[in-house]
Amino acid sequence: IAKSSSFGAQEASRMLASYAAVSVRNEPLFEALGSQLATLAAEEENVPASMCDALLVAIGSHEKLGLSELPAYPALLAAAEAIENSPQASAQTAAAARERQHR
């Protein structure tokens, strides 16, 4: 957890997905990596589609384990929404973000 700032977007989302896949609730890890991912997304000027994918994986992992009460969860949602509303967002990326948020 102390090294969460060294994780990139893809690594963070893979770690969260792995924990969710085996149904291991690790609130400190999800908070640290979720916050890191939201921060990385906010720092991107030209957001790649892979960032939106990573956000959606992280959001889904939080939801699967019932961790939507963690502070990182709304930050992840806000980051995904900001990407969706950015002029650089592709139609496919925006559609995927909308679909995920409506579940």
Side-chain angles (χ1 to χ4, degrees):
I1 296 171
K3 295 183 180 185
S4 66
S5 63
S6 67
F7 280 73
Q10 297 305 315
E11 294 85 6
S13 68
R14 276 195 300 268
M15 178 74 77
L16 295 176
S18 296
Y19 272 76
V22 295
S23 299
V24 174
R25 288 177 55 101
N26 185 332
E27 289 89 351
L29 179 72
F30 271 69
E31 181 58 29
L33 292 179
S35 294
Q36 170 66 5
L37 188 52
T39 298
L40 289 172
E43 292 173 349
E44 290 281 344
E45 287 187 32
N46 295 314
V47 180
S50 61
M51 177 61 77
C52 188
D53 293 341
L55 288 168
L56 296 176
V57 167
I59 290 166
S61 297
H62 276 74
E63 291 171 350
K64 181 176 182 180
L65 295 177
L67 297 174
S68 58
E69 76 280 357
L70 294 177
Y73 181 76
L76 290 166
L77 290 176
E81 184 176 329
I83 290 172
E84 177 184 342
N85 294 329
S86 73
Q88 297 88 10
S90 68
Q92 183 180 18
T93 301
R98 277 193 303 280
E99 178 184 328
R100 188 71 185 126
Q101 288 180 344
H102 290 289
R103 287 186 186 178

